[in-house]
Amino acid sequence: AENEQPRGTPCTQLLLFVATPGCDGFPSLDSKEGYKLSVSEGSMLLSADAVWGALRGLETFSQLVGRDENGTYYINKTEIMDFPRFPHRGLLLDTSRHYLPLRAILETLDVMAYNKFNVFHWHIVDDPSFPYESLTFPELSKQGAFHPMTHVYTASDVQTVIEYARLRGIRVIAEFDTPGHTLSWGPGAPGLLTPCYVGKNPSGTYGPINPILNSTYQFVSSLFQEVSAVFPDFFLHLGGDEVDFTCWKSNPKISAFMQEMGFGEDYKKLESFYIQRLLDIISSLKKGYIVWQEVFDNGVKVRPDTIIHVWKESSPPYMEEMANVTKAGYQALLSGPWYLNRISYGQDWMAAYQVEPLAFEGVPEQKDLVMGGEACMWGEYVDVTNLTPRLW
Amino acid sequence: CAMGRAVGLVGLLVGLFLVPAVLVSTSLRHGAPRSDPEPEAAEWELASGAVSEDSLWPLPQWLRTSSRQLQLAPGRFQLVHGAGSSAGPACGLLQDAFRRYYGYMFGQSHRRKPSRRPLGDRAEPELLQLQVVIESGDPGCHRYPHLESSEAYHLTVSEPVAVLKADEVWGALRGLETFSQLVHEDDYGSFLVNESEIDDFPRFAHRGILLDTSRHYLPVKSILTTLDAMAFNKFNVFHWHIVDDQSFPYQSISFPELSNKGAYSYNHIYTPADVHLVIEYARLRGIRVIPEFDTPGHTESWGKGQKDLLTPCYSGGQPTGSFGPVNPILNTTYDFMSKFFKEISSVFPDAYIHLGGDEVDFSCWKSNPEVKEFMRQQGFSIDYAKLESYYIQKILDIVSFYNKRQVVWQEVFDNKAQLKPDTVVQVWKNNLYALELSSVTGAGLTAVLSAPWYLDYISYGQDWKKYYSIEPLNFPGSEKQKKLLIGGEACLWGEFVDATNLTPRLWPRASAVGERLWSSRNVTNLKDAYTRLTNHRCRML
């Protein structure tokens, strides 16, 4: 009904209209985040296809409300029609190089919502520490965390993060990076990592996950069974980056295996062998997966719906990689130019802003395969004392 | 393992080590660097589990520790004035320090009630007290620290009481910080300290941090936190770059319009009470506060509240409406400056005021017909550096008249102003700064080095190593010249810094500069520094 009201009438309500129910579900890659906002005399209406769009619209609405010199809240007559250009807009936090207390993660989720980010890429474990408390393999964090009592994420912590994120329309994609970046897994899972050799004898140091043992795949299967159940998102990030072949090369049993399999001296084939079996495991758990670009670069056979995460800024230049990945028909995520841990003096936000994700040679169908990107905050020099001002 | 330390770890301390005669006769140096001691050849024992040494920062000039440990019971341990000290309970500065350091060592737990119960069955003897003995007749309790203050101290930690001797209270503060770094907790939560003896003094007398409260206002709390962190690192000069082009937060009693019109907002000012608080908080930590009122450039915000102070710029014979540096040709300028610096001289107790003098852009002066006429009258021709010097010299005279000595940025020297012999020149331009140090000291002037220590220039990774590896005396010059380099300052300019990121940006990178300025020249081992710095950093948190 149209009511004629005098100018400056106080607005008392923002009416929310959501077309499709789904308050209790989790956001996904296909979630609809579009909304319409209409502010005029006598009526303020926010309408969206799904609750996720309503969240985005509420954020925008809150940004429109101003305050004048007298302290009075006001809002201008406005019409907004909005939706994201890219469906995957993520932020990576690294809780292995430095543990981040729960409050730091939750605070980051709040700020992500202010900026309409919708994916929290939780790089939860890596070489330096294993803070994830696994109920199947409790020794992993007992032996691998910086401190098993204080520097861990309990099952309850993880659920808190997932729910806090969900309420903000943010997906939580956990990354359990293998076969490299796994030193912290070793102490709690004896026999998992490859023993490195010096000559004929073990040197006492360890390398990537040992790809030639059945026990490895049993372990990986059980672990990811748990991880798949704990993290509701369809996608898991499986890592697969920076696998150093030196340790594998030094190990005589592995050399023997290479011979048996006819891999020759090509350790990329061994890496492939592991990754393919891992991907099969994940698929059988009915999860999709994201992998770092090396998995693609090294010619591993991956399923067509794999998402390739482009992280190297150069060698090859990231735009070239984006072109290659999409040309091969895979979906891509861009992070190369957005490693925010690499700080520099001055207004470096401009360089990040000026990146055009689709500025590569390719046909429209290729460009459609770019799902979005992620800003990465690796943790070598970041902990709770400096995370927030470094990220935002 | 080989340690890159300047000092030899000597001998063992066995039993009670109380040799007052020896200690008294050990002359305590008065701030000026001495030549490095010869490493004493003697057996030395790796203090097993000597975690304490692994976290001393900055590294003392001379130190020996033993593996023998003493226990401290928080309920009974006390920091007290020793017999023969010229300072006692009336010394507020030390009383405050005792409370503060007790808190740092044992935590502010409310459970720490004084206890009479004897220690359990531990093998280690108990350390009951740290006695602080100030040796000079005038301890300095109620004074302000200055360039020539003695910061030397001698610390002996042995059963049953530890003794900290210092010439003046400033050395006691440094010694308390070191003592607090020696106390550590074992796996069971017991407080322990290794028997040790430390003889320490700073290599350089001027060890500063510059904060810029004009580009971004810094709440008083941020400044106080910075002063605390400075004390952890034995910094002793807070260079307060308080006003600049962007804003004028200093609330002047004589000229209230300066901040009324020039501050970002009324919430972004430092009242006289704020300023006094900062000065006293610093004093209690042995830190001098040197304010900088930078002129004639960097003064845009001054013009908002002080009409006719700045030079009107011209274009095509007409004023453009914009303004340049302070107008050096008007008497009113010097009347203002005289009154202004009279106030500053009375508000800030340090012997020095920093007058700035950097980056004066001549283009506005060149455009102004009255300035050009003045230049002609003075016979300066078209050499505007002469006009700048003319201005600066008059300000220096004004400030000298109020009995303050001056620090200036290097341009003032480079542009050949007549400086008083006790003027300090701050070298900040990174290009060929070693040559600049030679020139400044070669002209008989004192210098302070900042050029390689602009901490606002952040970069990825462990850049502390770059700051740590600077050797300030690496410039061509005689021994006499080298003595004229009195120290340095780490600068954190405020273009991209405010209260939300100040602390993690400044620390622990500034700590690298702190050790470079305090410790001996040959304390350069990065691996050892890394170990101590990582421990120190966690402690600072």
Side-chain angles (χ1 to χ4, degrees):
Chain A
E2 291 224 4
N3 292 324
E4 287 297 316
Q5 282 179 356
R7 233 159 45 106
T9 313
C11 325
T12 55
Q13 288 178 329
L14 171 67
L15 284 177
L16 213 73
F17 179 82
V18 177
T20 324
C23 286
D24 302 324
F26 286 92
S28 71
L29 184 57
D30 313 309
S31 292
K32 295 195 162 70
E33 296 177 277
Y35 65 91
K36 284 198 175 81
L37 185 59
S38 180
V39 175
S40 59
E41 289 169 36
S43 125
M44 299 192 294
L45 181 62
L46 167 59
S47 59
D49 266 346
V51 290
W52 319 115
L55 289 175
R56 303 300 168 235
L58 281 169
E59 175 59 40
T60 302
F61 179 78
S62 75
Q63 294 185 6
L64 289 170
V65 177
R67 218 171 168 187
D68 67 18
E69 293 132 14
N70 301 324
T72 310
Y73 294 97
Y74 69 88
I75 186 168
N76 283 31
K77 185 165 192 274
T78 314
E79 287 291 319
I80 292 182
M81 201 271 278
D82 198 11
F83 57 88
R85 181 181 175 201
F86 292 104
H88 183 121
R89 307 179 304 283
L91 200 82
L92 177 152
L93 286 186
D94 168 2
T95 58
S96 174
R97 273 58 181 262
H98 282 95
Y99 179 78
L100 291 174
L102 190 60
R103 69 176 195 277
I105 299 177
L106 301 183
E107 187 176 271
T108 302
L109 291 168
D110 277 333
V111 190
M112 283 172 68
Y114 302 155
N115 290 272
K116 295 190 170 67
F117 278 98
N118 67 354
V119 174
F120 169 40
H121 174 167
W122 194 347
H123 187 91
I124 187 168
V125 298
D126 202 300
D127 283 328
S129 74
F130 195 105
Y132 171 75
E133 246 183 24
S134 160
L135 30 86
T136 324
F137 299 105
E139 288 298 300
L140 284 171
S141 61
K142 274 216 182 97
Q143 308 282 343
F146 283 133
H147 189 301
M149 294 285 100
T150 56
H151 289 60
V152 290
Y153 300 108
T154 61
S156 156
D157 289 340
V158 172
Q159 290 311 309
T160 301
V161 169
I162 292 171
E163 178 62 5
Y164 201 89
R166 187 187 79 84
L167 291 173
R168 287 153 182 74
I170 297 170
R171 301 162 56 199
V172 178
I173 299 183
E175 178 184 348
F176 284 83
D177 192 350
T178 68
H181 286 282
T182 44
L183 283 179
S184 67
W185 301 45
L192 179 68
L193 303 183
T194 310
C196 310
Y197 274 66
V198 168
K200 295 210 187 320
N201 300 308
S203 65
T205 60
Y206 294 88
I209 284 184
N210 193 333
I212 72 174
L213 303 175
N214 283 335
S215 52
T216 290
Y217 299 100
Q218 276 159 17
F219 171 87
V220 160
S221 186
S222 302
L223 179 67
F224 277 100
Q225 199 163 11
E226 173 187 318
V227 169
S228 298
V230 167
F231 291 93
D233 198 82
F234 174 68
F235 285 92
L236 287 175
H237 200 302
L238 303 177
D241 61 316
E242 299 181 310
V243 184
D244 184 355
F245 296 149
T246 330
C247 186
W248 284 351
K249 285 182 183 168
S250 75
N251 184 303
K253 299 201 178 102
I254 293 198
S255 305
F257 185 82
M258 291 283 287
Q259 288 306 312
E260 271 173 47
M261 301 295 292
F263 291 161
E265 290 298 306
D266 189 357
Y267 282 80
K268 286 190 186 161
K269 294 205 163 96
L270 183 59
E271 183 191 40
S272 245
F273 173 81
Y274 166 84
I275 296 270
Q276 266 151 217
R277 287 184 71 169
L278 172 66
L279 297 184
D280 287 341
I281 290 170
I282 306 301
S283 296
S284 73
L285 292 167
K286 307 271 187 284
K287 291 287 198 187
Y289 38 77
I290 310 177
V291 289
W292 294 111
Q293 68 182 75
E294 284 95 325
V295 173
F296 168 79
D297 295 344
N298 291 352
V300 181
K301 289 199 187 38
V302 297
R303 284 198 349 195
D305 59 357
T306 311
I307 301 185
I308 308 292
H309 198 159
V310 176
W311 68 269
K312 293 186 182 184
E313 206 171 357
S314 51
S315 3
Y318 62 87
M319 278 314 179
E320 210 179 280
E321 181 76 1
M322 293 293 281
N324 290 341
V325 167
T326 52
K327 188 140 174 250
Y330 297 107
Q331 291 161 293
L333 287 177
L334 180 61
S335 282
W338 291 325
Y339 264 36
L340 303 189
N341 53 310
R342 298 200 134 259
I343 59 172
S344 58
Y345 178 69
Q347 295 196 56
D348 52 357
W349 69 272
M350 295 188 184
Y353 191 79
Q354 287 171 320
V355 173
E356 172 37 65
L358 300 185
F360 59 88
E361 301 270 307
V363 299
E365 287 75 20
Q366 272 174 267
K367 310 276 171 124
D368 285 344
L369 290 171
V370 177
M371 294 292 106
E374 292 189 359
C376 298
M377 184 50 79
W378 294 103
E380 284 85 348
Y381 303 104
V382 175
D383 67 11
V384 70
T385 66
N386 64 354
L387 169 66
T388 299
R390 190 162 289 200
L391 195 44
W392 308 101
Chain B
C1 60
M3 301 279 219
R5 295 210 179 122
V7 301
L9 291 168
V10 179
L12 282 166
L13 288 172
V14 179
L16 280 171
F17 186 78
L18 188 62
V19 265
V22 170
L23 289 175
V24 162
S25 74
T26 306
S27 64
L28 293 168
R29 295 94 205 154
H30 291 255
R34 64 168 185 174
S35 57
D36 295 327
E38 260 82 54
E40 288 165 57
E43 77 262 321
W44 64 281
E45 189 178 274
L46 262 174
S48 56
V51 289
S52 52
E53 278 165 51
D54 284 354
S55 64
L56 289 178
W57 194 281
L59 192 70
Q61 297 293 343
W62 187 96
L63 114 100
R64 66 194 211 188
T65 60
S66 91
S67 52
R68 191 155 183 268
Q69 293 187 320
L70 307 171
Q71 272 198 94
L72 296 87
R76 277 193 297 282
F77 180 79
Q78 292 193 315
L79 299 162
V80 299
H81 302 280
S85 175
S86 59
C91 183
L93 181 146
L94 284 182
Q95 293 298 125
D96 196 72
F98 290 168
R99 182 181 61 175
R100 182 166 73 250
Y101 277 99
Y102 179 92
Y104 289 150
M105 290 190 286
F106 302 116
Q108 312 283 351
S109 174
H110 59 272
R111 285 181 287 108
R112 306 250 178 260
K113 36 188 208 302
S115 155
R116 301 256 173 274
R117 273 200 320 247
L119 279 173
D121 244 343
R122 280 203 74 131
E124 293 94 350
E126 185 176 346
L127 185 72
L128 289 162
Q129 285 183 340
L130 171 67
Q131 293 181 349
V132 177
V133 179
I134 309 298
E135 315 220 88
S136 165
D138 182 3
C141 288
H142 305 289
R143 299 200 190 290
Y144 288 94
H146 56 91
L147 184 59
E148 292 85 26
S149 292
S150 167
E151 294 177 277
Y153 65 92
H154 190 106
L155 179 62
T156 317
V157 180
S158 62
E159 183 200 358
V161 296
V163 179
L164 169 59
K165 289 194 185 212
D167 218 42
E168 298 176 345
V169 292
W170 320 114
L173 290 174
R174 306 298 170 236
L176 280 167
E177 175 60 40
T178 302
F179 179 77
S180 75
Q181 297 186 1
L182 289 169
V183 175
H184 55 279
E185 272 185 79
D186 69 5
D187 288 345
Y188 302 93
S190 298
F191 294 96
L192 300 170
V193 65
N194 286 43
E195 281 196 334
S196 5
E197 194 187 349
I198 291 179
D199 191 37
D200 201 10
F201 57 87
R203 180 180 174 204
F204 292 103
H206 182 120
R207 307 179 306 283
I209 297 281
L210 177 152
L211 286 186
D212 168 3
T213 58
S214 174
R215 274 59 180 262
H216 282 93
Y217 178 79
L218 293 175
V220 173
K221 190 165 82 143
S222 296
I223 300 178
L224 301 185
T225 300
T226 303
L227 291 169
D228 278 332
M230 285 170 67
F232 298 154
N233 292 272
K234 294 190 170 67
F235 277 98
N236 67 353
V237 174
F238 169 38
H239 174 168
W240 193 349
H241 187 91
I242 187 167
V243 298
D244 203 297
D245 282 327
Q246 284 83 351
S247 74
F248 196 105
Y250 172 75
Q251 190 173 57
S252 160
I253 310 154
S254 331
F255 300 100
E257 285 295 284
L258 286 171
S259 60
N260 280 349
K261 297 276 174 353
Y264 282 132
S265 85
Y266 196 69
N267 288 328
H268 293 75
I269 60 172
Y270 302 109
T271 62
D274 291 335
V275 173
H276 288 309
L277 175 58
V278 168
I279 292 171
E280 180 61 7
Y281 200 89
R283 188 187 79 84
L284 292 173
R285 286 153 183 74
I287 296 170
R288 301 164 54 200
V289 178
I290 300 183
E292 178 184 348
F293 287 90
D294 191 353
T295 71
H298 287 281
T299 44
E300 200 181 314
S301 67
W302 299 52
K304 309 231 160 59
Q306 185 68 18
K307 209 164 82 73
D308 301 329
L309 178 66
L310 304 183
T311 313
C313 310
Y314 277 66
S315 176
Q318 297 300 322
T320 63
S322 62
F323 297 88
V326 170
N327 195 333
I329 74 174
L330 302 176
N331 286 336
T332 48
T333 292
Y334 302 104
D335 292 338
F336 166 82
M337 289 296 172
S338 188
K339 205 160 164 220
F340 183 76
F341 278 106
K342 183 174 182 198
E343 173 185 319
I344 300 306
S345 301
S346 74
V347 168
F348 291 91
D350 197 79
Y352 284 83
I353 296 183
H354 199 305
L355 300 178
D358 61 315
E359 298 181 313
V360 184
D361 183 354
F362 294 152
S363 42
C364 186
W365 284 349
K366 285 179 183 172
S367 77
N368 184 303
E370 282 159 27
V371 173
K372 284 204 286 245
E373 174 58 20
F374 183 85
M375 289 282 287
R376 199 189 59 75
Q377 281 168 16
Q378 294 286 323
F380 292 158
S381 175
I382 54 163
D383 187 357
Y384 283 82
K386 291 203 165 95
L387 181 60
E388 181 195 84
S389 295
Y390 166 88
Y391 166 85
I392 289 278
Q393 270 154 220
K394 291 185 79 142
I395 303 301
L396 297 180
D397 286 340
I398 286 170
V399 169
S400 297
F401 176 74
Y402 295 121
N403 274 322
K404 294 290 191 185
R405 289 139 88 177
Q406 305 98 36
V407 191
V408 291
W409 295 110
Q410 68 181 75
E411 285 94 322
V412 174
F413 167 80
D414 296 343
N415 292 348
K416 306 196 186 347
Q418 293 278 79
L419 300 174
K420 315 245 178 293
D422 55 9
T423 307
V424 177
V425 176
Q426 188 161 9
V427 174
W428 69 272
K429 294 186 178 186
N430 212 357
N431 197 20
L432 303 174
Y433 67 83
L435 293 182
E436 180 75 4
L437 287 176
S438 298
S439 303
V440 170
T441 55
L445 292 166
T446 328
V448 151
L449 179 61
S450 284
W453 290 323
Y454 264 36
L455 301 192
D456 53 318
Y457 287 146
I458 59 172
S459 57
Y460 178 67
Q462 294 196 52
D463 54 356
W464 71 271
K465 294 185 182 179
K466 171 177 79 178
Y467 304 130
Y468 190 78
S469 302
I470 299 293
E471 173 39 62
L473 296 186
N474 270 354
F475 66 90
S478 64
E479 278 311 298
K480 195 156 167 260
Q481 274 176 266
K482 308 269 169 132
K483 287 197 170 58
L484 289 172
L485 179 57
I486 55 170
E489 289 186 3
C491 300
L492 194 70
W493 295 103
E495 285 86 348
F496 303 105
V497 175
D498 67 9
T500 67
N501 64 355
L502 167 66
T503 299
R505 189 162 290 198
L506 192 49
W507 310 100
R509 297 188 309 139
S511 300
V513 180
E515 176 154 299
R516 180 53 49 232
L517 292 174
W518 176 282
S519 301
S520 164
R521 180 174 189 150
N522 37 15
V523 177
T524 54
N525 184 304
L526 282 170
K527 197 152 163 272
D528 180 62
Y530 178 85
T531 307
R532 288 183 293 109
L533 185 57
T534 41
N535 289 329
H536 178 60
R537 183 250 178 190
C538 287
R539 178 176 52 224
M540 285 203 282
L541 292 176

